[in-house]
Every structure is written in structure tokens, then in C-alpha cells.
Amino acid sequence: GNVTPKKAAIALGAVKVLDPRWLKPNSVETERIISVLDETTAKLELSCLIPHVINSLDRFADLLGPEITNNLMEHQKLSKQIGQLLASPEEDAVKAEERRGSLHLLEQNLKRSVRNILRLLLASPSLCKALKHEVWARNPAAEAFIKAFGEFRNFMLERLLTSPTEEEERVQLMEDISLRIKRNTETMTTLQAELAAAVRTRDEEIQKKDNMIKDLKNSMQDVAEDSKTNILQVKWEAEKQEKEELQASQARCAGLQQDIQQLEAQLNKLILEHRASELALRKRKCRVETEILNWIQTYDTDMAEKQAEYEEVLAAYTEEEAELSLLMQKHAVLLQEYSQIEEERRIYQEKQQQALEELATMTRAAIRIQAFWRGYLIRSTLRPKKKKKGKGKGKDK
């Protein structure tokens, strides 16, 4: 019935905790934790596809590259070695200890190999995009683990965003609701038991009254029969003693008539008392039924309010989910545009590098040509001087 301010505050706090619109990171630490969990989820999704990629190296040859291919083949080799080591039979204690040491070393190498492969895969956005379409190749156990990890991520987000006060308020609200339901159930059970007891009591009283009425009717019949017998006897005796017994018989008839009237009055009184008791029981029954209806209406009203709150929360969740889907679509479009821009940038850089190489080649060729030309000019200027010197010497001779 009555809703106190404290209960209203608790209900509002519980709605805030359950509303997906409130599940947003509100601190740097929370964002970092959720970011780590999201990165772990992405790495789990990629690591589950490593066996599929190893078995389909020909399909992904254009995207993998030599480094990733070598790491995948090394990973496959380590996996086979671990499988062979686990399948080998155990012998004496010394060999078993050596086997455990080798197995531990191989497991460490396998973990390191998985980390390297994930680092290389995450460094290739095109390969990650292609692997997103290979979800069907995941192992069902791995898929279940990823789903459970996602639920753990959502649970951690809810716990990080729920303050201790809100958690206590939600627990208190659930306890209050359970207590109210329990009290209502106990009250209804008590009222039903009282109603059943009242009905049984009324039926027993009615049965007693019916038996009493039957006994009175039988008594009246006996009295009537006795009176008839006495009248016949008086008439029979009156033939002998009509005068002497006339007054006596009349007095006796009057007494019998008075007894009959008294018995009829008692019968009417008992009937009235019985009707009054039955009316009181009927009123009590109506009052109990009215109280039960009021409790049922109160319960229906509370349930309707809870249903309305649930529908509001569900509508908000559906709206947030639609917005998330739209944002994911926009993110996919932006990611595609970013990949296209990166590809255009790479082509532009390759063209610029090629132009620089051509410019360097042309510069070196120009330098060589200029050097050759300078040498030629120097040689061409020096040759006439040598000839003039020769001619002067001849004349002197």
C-alpha cells in the first residue's frame, strides 16, 4: 500500500542499476578494465581460429605473408609435439619426470608462439577482417567459453558501475518485495482458513438446528397422537361419566392446547435465532470475501506496476541495442574508408619513393655528364698549348 520516500529511493536506485542506459564507464579505471576485457575477447576470438588458419594456409596465403606463415607452421609443429608427448605411454619415474619437464617447456613455447601469432595477426587489419567471416570454424567449446567470457565482461561492467550503496539498496528492495509477497500469502492463507472454519461452524449449527426442528416435530406428532388418544378415551369414558368428566376433559384439552402454543412459540424463536445467526455469518463471509478481493486488487496493481517498469526497461534496452547496431554499422563503414585511405596513402608513398629514386638517378647522371663535360673542356683547352710548345722548339733549332 503506502510507499515511503526511502522505498521510492530504493526502487529508483534499483531501476538505475538494471537500466542499460546507466551501464556506461564513469572513470578512467573502469574504461581501462573494460578495454582490457574487450582486447582479451578479441584475442580469444582470433586464437580460436588459429587451427582453422593452419589448415587453410592456401586460402590465406595472400594475406598471411612469410612471417605469419612461418610462425603458424612452428605453432603446428609444437602442437604435434605436445600431442605426441601426451599420447606416449608413461614408463618409470625418471622418464615420467623428464616427460613432465619436456611437456612444461613445450607448453611455454606454445604460449609464446600464440602470443607472437596474435601480435602479427592484430598488426594486419585486412587479415583480421577476413578472419571475422570465419566464425563458423570455431570449436563449440571455444564458442561457449567466449560467450561465458562476454557474460563475465558484462557482469564486471555492472559490478564496476554499481556502487556499494546501490547494491545494498537493490538487495534491500528485493528483500522487501519478498517479505511483502510472503506476508500477503500468509494473510490470504489465514483468511481462507478462517473462512473454511466459519463455513464449517455454520454448517454444524444449521445441522444442529435441523435436528432440533426434527425432534420438535416428532414431539409435536407424539403430543398430537397422545391428545387424540386421550380425547378418544375421554369420549369413550364420557359415555359413562359425561357429566363428571366433562369439566376435567375440557381443562385437560385447554392445557394441552397451551402446551402446543408454547412449543410453537419456542419453535418460532429458534427459527428467528437461527436466521439471525445465519445473517451474521453471511455478513462475515461477505466482509472476508471483500478483504480478499482488496488484497488481490492490491497484488494485481503492484504486479502491473512491476510489469510497466519491466516494459520500460525492455524498451530502453531495445533502443540502446538498435543504437549500438547503428554505431557498429557506421564503425564498419569508417573502418572500410580508413582501409581505403591507408591503401591510397601507401600507393602515394610508393609513387613518391619511385619519383625520388628517379630524381636521384637523374641527379647522378647529370653529375656524371657534367664531370665528363668539364673533363672534356679541360682536355680540349690543354691540347693546343702542347702543340704550340712543340712548334717553338723547332724554330729555335
Side-chain angles (χ1 to χ4, degrees):
N2 296 328
V3 180
T4 62
K6 183 178 180 181
K7 290 184 179 180
I10 293 173
L12 179 59
V15 172
K16 288 182 179 180
V17 171
L18 298 175
D19 194 346
R21 292 175 295 179
W22 292 83
L23 298 180
K24 296 179 181 178
N26 55 0
S27 66
V28 178
E29 290 79 3
T30 303
E31 291 180 356
R32 288 175 180 173
I33 293 172
I34 297 304
S35 177
V36 169
L37 292 176
D38 291 338
E39 290 178 0
T40 304
T41 302
K43 290 179 180 180
L44 284 173
E45 291 175 352
L46 287 177
S47 61
C48 293
L49 294 175
I50 290 176
H52 175 65
V53 175
I54 292 174
N55 295 327
S56 306
L57 289 177
D58 295 336
R59 288 180 54 201
F60 300 99
D62 296 336
L63 298 174
L64 292 176
E67 186 177 3
I68 299 178
T69 303
N70 293 333
N71 279 275
L72 289 173
M73 295 178 68
E74 183 65 24
H75 180 80
Q76 186 180 18
K77 183 178 178 182
L78 290 173
S79 299
K80 288 182 179 179
Q81 290 177 358
I82 291 176
Q84 292 174 359
L85 192 61
L86 291 174
S88 62
E90 295 185 359
E91 298 179 357
D92 54 359
V94 178
K95 291 186 177 180
E97 186 66 26
E98 293 177 355
R99 179 171 175 269
R100 284 194 293 270
S102 300
L103 184 61
H104 179 70
L105 181 60
L106 287 173
E107 288 177 351
Q108 295 296 326
N109 293 334
L110 187 65
K111 292 178 181 178
R112 193 178 301 110
S113 174
V114 171
R115 286 196 294 269
N116 292 333
I117 292 172
L118 288 176
R119 177 177 55 81
L120 295 172
L121 290 177
L122 291 173
S124 177
S126 58
L127 182 56
C128 293
K129 183 178 180 181
L131 289 178
K132 286 182 180 179
H133 300 288
E134 303 293 328
V135 181
W136 57 270
R138 288 180 189 161
N139 192 344
E143 188 71 24
F145 180 77
I146 292 172
K147 183 178 180 181
F149 189 81
E151 293 176 356
F152 170 73
R153 182 258 187 199
N154 295 331
F155 173 75
M156 286 298 298
L157 177 60
E158 182 179 352
R159 290 302 300 271
L160 288 172
L161 298 178
T162 302
S163 64
T165 304
E166 291 177 345
E167 184 70 21
E168 292 177 0
E169 290 176 353
R170 183 173 65 177
V171 173
Q172 185 64 35
L173 177 63
M174 297 305 293
E175 290 178 356
D176 292 343
I177 293 173
S178 301
L179 183 60
R180 288 181 61 189
I181 293 174
K182 183 178 179 181
R183 289 177 179 175
N184 292 338
T185 305
E186 291 177 353
T187 304
M188 289 179 64
T189 304
T190 304
L191 292 174
Q192 289 176 354
E194 292 179 357
L195 178 61
V199 172
R200 287 196 300 271
T201 304
R202 185 200 63 184
D203 293 339
E204 290 176 357
E205 291 179 357
I206 292 174
Q207 185 65 32
K208 288 180 182 179
K209 300 298 182 183
D210 291 339
N211 294 332
M212 187 178 294
I213 291 171
K214 289 181 180 179
D215 293 338
L216 291 174
K217 286 182 177 180
N218 292 330
S219 298
M220 288 176 65
Q221 290 178 358
D222 293 338
V223 170
E225 290 177 358
D226 292 340
S227 64
K228 289 180 180 180
T229 303
N230 291 330
I231 291 171
L232 291 174
Q233 186 177 1
V234 169
K235 287 182 178 180
W236 180 71
E237 291 179 352
E239 292 178 355
K240 292 182 178 180
Q241 300 178 355
E242 183 176 1
K243 293 180 180 181
E244 294 83 3
E245 298 294 334
L246 181 60
Q247 295 179 354
S249 64
Q250 290 178 352
R252 193 171 182 180
C253 287
L256 292 174
Q257 188 66 30
Q258 185 177 3
D259 292 337
I260 292 172
Q261 291 177 356
Q262 290 178 356
L263 290 175
E264 288 179 350
Q266 291 179 0
L267 176 61
N268 294 328
K269 183 179 180 181
L270 290 174
I271 291 173
L272 292 174
E273 290 177 355
H274 169 68
R275 287 178 179 175
S277 176
E278 183 180 5
L279 181 60
L281 290 174
R282 288 182 181 276
K283 289 181 179 179
R284 185 177 178 183
K285 178 185 175 184
C286 292
R287 184 171 62 255
V288 170
E289 289 177 351
T290 304
E291 290 178 357
I292 292 173
L293 281 175
N294 291 334
W295 281 110
I296 292 173
Q297 290 176 358
T298 303
Y299 177 79
D300 291 339
T301 303
D302 293 341
M303 289 299 103
E305 292 177 356
K306 298 301 177 185
Q307 182 67 27
E309 292 178 359
Y310 170 76
E311 290 176 355
E312 289 178 1
V313 171
L314 182 61
Y317 173 77
T318 305
E319 183 179 356
E320 289 292 331
E321 189 176 16
E323 291 179 1
L324 177 60
S325 176
L326 182 59
L327 290 176
M328 290 298 292
Q329 293 177 1
K330 291 182 178 179
H331 176 267
V333 174
L334 290 175
L335 183 61
Q336 184 178 2
E337 291 177 358
Y338 174 78
S339 301
Q340 185 176 0
I341 291 171
E342 286 293 323
E343 182 66 20
E344 292 175 358
R345 185 180 296 173
R346 184 185 63 79
I347 295 171
Y348 174 76
Q349 289 177 355
E350 289 178 357
K351 289 181 178 180
Q352 190 176 10
Q353 184 67 27
Q354 185 177 2
L356 290 173
E357 290 176 358
E358 291 177 359
L359 179 60
T361 303
M362 292 173 68
T363 303
R364 288 194 299 271
I367 290 170
R368 289 181 182 177
I369 292 170
Q370 289 176 359
F372 178 80
W373 179 250
R374 289 192 192 99
Y376 173 78
L377 291 176
I378 292 170
R379 286 192 298 272
S380 64
T381 54
L382 291 176
R383 284 176 186 173
K385 291 180 181 180
K386 289 180 181 180
K387 289 181 180 180
K388 287 179 182 180
K389 288 179 182 180
K391 290 178 180 181
K393 288 179 181 180
K395 290 179 180 181
D396 291 337
K397 289 178 181 181

PDB file of all heavy atoms in Angstrom, residues 226-238:
ATOM      1  N   ASP A 226     -50.962 -38.418  21.255  1.00  0.00           N
ATOM      2  CA  ASP A 226     -51.415 -38.644  22.639  1.00  0.00           C
ATOM      3  C   ASP A 226     -52.723 -37.908  22.932  1.00  0.00           C
ATOM      4  O   ASP A 226     -53.632 -38.446  23.609  1.00  0.00           O
ATOM      5  CB  ASP A 226     -50.334 -38.175  23.614  1.00  0.00           C
ATOM      6  CG  ASP A 226     -49.091 -39.051  23.552  1.00  0.00           C
ATOM      7  OD1 ASP A 226     -49.188 -40.199  23.062  1.00  0.00           O
ATOM      8  OD2 ASP A 226     -47.998 -38.578  23.968  1.00  0.00           O
ATOM      9  N   SER A 227     -52.788 -36.666  22.388  1.00  0.00           N
ATOM     10  CA  SER A 227     -54.032 -35.913  22.638  1.00  0.00           C
ATOM     11  C   SER A 227     -55.232 -36.591  21.976  1.00  0.00           C
ATOM     12  O   SER A 227     -56.330 -36.642  22.547  1.00  0.00           O
ATOM     13  CB  SER A 227     -53.872 -34.485  22.117  1.00  0.00           C
ATOM     14  OG  SER A 227     -53.691 -34.490  20.710  1.00  0.00           O
ATOM     15  N   LYS A 228     -55.007 -37.108  20.778  1.00  0.00           N
ATOM     16  CA  LYS A 228     -56.105 -37.814  20.120  1.00  0.00           C
ATOM     17  C   LYS A 228     -56.515 -39.053  20.917  1.00  0.00           C
ATOM     18  O   LYS A 228     -57.725 -39.336  21.101  1.00  0.00           O
ATOM     19  CB  LYS A 228     -55.688 -38.218  18.715  1.00  0.00           C
ATOM     20  CG  LYS A 228     -55.577 -37.049  17.748  1.00  0.00           C
ATOM     21  CD  LYS A 228     -55.171 -37.531  16.384  1.00  0.00           C
ATOM     22  CE  LYS A 228     -55.047 -36.375  15.401  1.00  0.00           C
ATOM     23  NZ  LYS A 228     -54.636 -36.839  14.049  1.00  0.00           N
ATOM     24  N   THR A 229     -55.530 -39.763  21.384  1.00  0.00           N
ATOM     25  CA  THR A 229     -55.844 -40.974  22.178  1.00  0.00           C
ATOM     26  C   THR A 229     -56.602 -40.606  23.443  1.00  0.00           C
ATOM     27  O   THR A 229     -57.594 -41.267  23.841  1.00  0.00           O
ATOM     28  CB  THR A 229     -54.541 -41.698  22.527  1.00  0.00           C
ATOM     29  OG1 THR A 229     -53.843 -41.998  21.327  1.00  0.00           O
ATOM     30  CG2 THR A 229     -54.819 -42.977  23.287  1.00  0.00           C
ATOM     31  N   ASN A 230     -56.121 -39.526  24.065  1.00  0.00           N
ATOM     32  CA  ASN A 230     -56.794 -39.093  25.295  1.00  0.00           C
ATOM     33  C   ASN A 230     -58.224 -38.620  25.017  1.00  0.00           C
ATOM     34  O   ASN A 230     -59.155 -38.875  25.807  1.00  0.00           O
ATOM     35  CB  ASN A 230     -55.995 -37.973  25.952  1.00  0.00           C
ATOM     36  CG  ASN A 230     -54.666 -38.491  26.505  1.00  0.00           C
ATOM     37  OD1 ASN A 230     -54.563 -39.647  26.902  1.00  0.00           O
ATOM     38  ND2 ASN A 230     -53.659 -37.623  26.516  1.00  0.00           N
ATOM     39  N   ILE A 231     -58.369 -37.907  23.876  1.00  0.00           N
ATOM     40  CA  ILE A 231     -59.725 -37.436  23.535  1.00  0.00           C
ATOM     41  C   ILE A 231     -60.653 -38.618  23.277  1.00  0.00           C
ATOM     42  O   ILE A 231     -61.833 -38.640  23.741  1.00  0.00           O
ATOM     43  CB  ILE A 231     -59.667 -36.520  22.322  1.00  0.00           C
ATOM     44  CG1 ILE A 231     -58.969 -35.204  22.695  1.00  0.00           C
ATOM     45  CG2 ILE A 231     -61.062 -36.230  21.780  1.00  0.00           C
ATOM     46  CD1 ILE A 231     -58.673 -34.304  21.496  1.00  0.00           C
ATOM     47  N   LEU A 232     -60.139 -39.612  22.544  1.00  0.00           N
ATOM     48  CA  LEU A 232     -60.973 -40.793  22.308  1.00  0.00           C
ATOM     49  C   LEU A 232     -61.323 -41.518  23.610  1.00  0.00           C
ATOM     50  O   LEU A 232     -62.464 -41.986  23.800  1.00  0.00           O
ATOM     51  CB  LEU A 232     -60.250 -41.759  21.356  1.00  0.00           C
ATOM     52  CG  LEU A 232     -60.099 -41.290  19.909  1.00  0.00           C
ATOM     53  CD1 LEU A 232     -59.232 -42.287  19.111  1.00  0.00           C
ATOM     54  CD2 LEU A 232     -61.462 -41.124  19.244  1.00  0.00           C
ATOM     55  N   GLN A 233     -60.259 -41.533  24.432  1.00  0.00           N
ATOM     56  CA  GLN A 233     -60.505 -42.206  25.709  1.00  0.00           C
ATOM     57  C   GLN A 233     -61.524 -41.429  26.545  1.00  0.00           C
ATOM     58  O   GLN A 233     -62.375 -42.011  27.210  1.00  0.00           O
ATOM     59  CB  GLN A 233     -59.179 -42.328  26.465  1.00  0.00           C
ATOM     60  CG  GLN A 233     -59.319 -43.140  27.750  1.00  0.00           C
ATOM     61  CD  GLN A 233     -57.969 -43.321  28.449  1.00  0.00           C
ATOM     62  OE1 GLN A 233     -56.966 -42.814  27.951  1.00  0.00           O
ATOM     63  NE2 GLN A 233     -57.991 -44.022  29.580  1.00  0.00           N
ATOM     64  N   VAL A 234     -61.366 -40.088  26.499  1.00  0.00           N
ATOM     65  CA  VAL A 234     -62.334 -39.264  27.256  1.00  0.00           C
ATOM     66  C   VAL A 234     -63.738 -39.424  26.688  1.00  0.00           C
ATOM     67  O   VAL A 234     -64.728 -39.528  27.444  1.00  0.00           O
ATOM     68  CB  VAL A 234     -61.891 -37.793  27.214  1.00  0.00           C
ATOM     69  CG1 VAL A 234     -63.011 -36.892  27.744  1.00  0.00           C
ATOM     70  CG2 VAL A 234     -60.629 -37.619  28.045  1.00  0.00           C
ATOM     71  N   LYS A 235     -63.791 -39.453  25.327  1.00  0.00           N
ATOM     72  CA  LYS A 235     -65.117 -39.650  24.730  1.00  0.00           C
ATOM     73  C   LYS A 235     -65.693 -41.021  25.097  1.00  0.00           C
ATOM     74  O   LYS A 235     -66.900 -41.154  25.346  1.00  0.00           O
ATOM     75  CB  LYS A 235     -65.031 -39.520  23.213  1.00  0.00           C
ATOM     76  CG  LYS A 235     -64.832 -38.085  22.751  1.00  0.00           C
ATOM     77  CD  LYS A 235     -64.797 -38.041  21.228  1.00  0.00           C
ATOM     78  CE  LYS A 235     -64.643 -36.593  20.746  1.00  0.00           C
ATOM     79  NZ  LYS A 235     -64.603 -36.512  19.271  1.00  0.00           N
ATOM     80  N   TRP A 236     -64.748 -41.984  25.090  1.00  0.00           N
ATOM     81  CA  TRP A 236     -65.254 -43.340  25.428  1.00  0.00           C
ATOM     82  C   TRP A 236     -65.701 -43.402  26.868  1.00  0.00           C
ATOM     83  O   TRP A 236     -66.727 -44.019  27.204  1.00  0.00           O
ATOM     84  CB  TRP A 236     -64.126 -44.336  25.180  1.00  0.00           C
ATOM     85  CG  TRP A 236     -64.508 -45.763  25.494  1.00  0.00           C
ATOM     86  CD1 TRP A 236     -65.358 -46.572  24.807  1.00  0.00           C
ATOM     87  CD2 TRP A 236     -64.101 -46.497  26.616  1.00  0.00           C
ATOM     88  NE1 TRP A 236     -65.494 -47.777  25.392  1.00  0.00           N
ATOM     89  CE2 TRP A 236     -64.713 -47.767  26.538  1.00  0.00           C
ATOM     90  CE3 TRP A 236     -63.261 -46.237  27.693  1.00  0.00           C
ATOM     91  CZ2 TRP A 236     -64.528 -48.771  27.497  1.00  0.00           C
ATOM     92  CZ3 TRP A 236     -63.086 -47.268  28.635  1.00  0.00           C
ATOM     93  CH2 TRP A 236     -63.700 -48.498  28.531  1.00  0.00           C
ATOM     94  N   GLU A 237     -64.903 -42.693  27.731  1.00  0.00           N
ATOM     95  CA  GLU A 237     -65.279 -42.683  29.138  1.00  0.00           C
ATOM     96  C   GLU A 237     -66.449 -41.715  29.403  1.00  0.00           C
ATOM     97  O   GLU A 237     -67.155 -41.845  30.397  1.00  0.00           O
ATOM     98  CB  GLU A 237     -64.063 -42.267  29.993  1.00  0.00           C
ATOM     99  CG  GLU A 237     -62.977 -43.319  30.008  1.00  0.00           C
ATOM    100  CD  GLU A 237     -61.776 -42.890  30.819  1.00  0.00           C
ATOM    101  OE1 GLU A 237     -61.743 -41.699  31.249  1.00  0.00           O
ATOM    102  OE2 GLU A 237     -60.831 -43.688  31.000  1.00  0.00           O
ATOM    103  N   ALA A 238     -66.519 -40.731  28.461  1.00  0.00           N
ATOM    104  CA  ALA A 238     -67.595 -39.751  28.662  1.00  0.00           C
ATOM    105  C   ALA A 238     -68.983 -40.380  28.523  1.00  0.00           C
ATOM    106  O   ALA A 238     -69.966 -39.865  29.048  1.00  0.00           O
ATOM    107  CB  ALA A 238     -67.460 -38.616  27.690  1.00  0.00           C
TER     108      ALA A 238
END
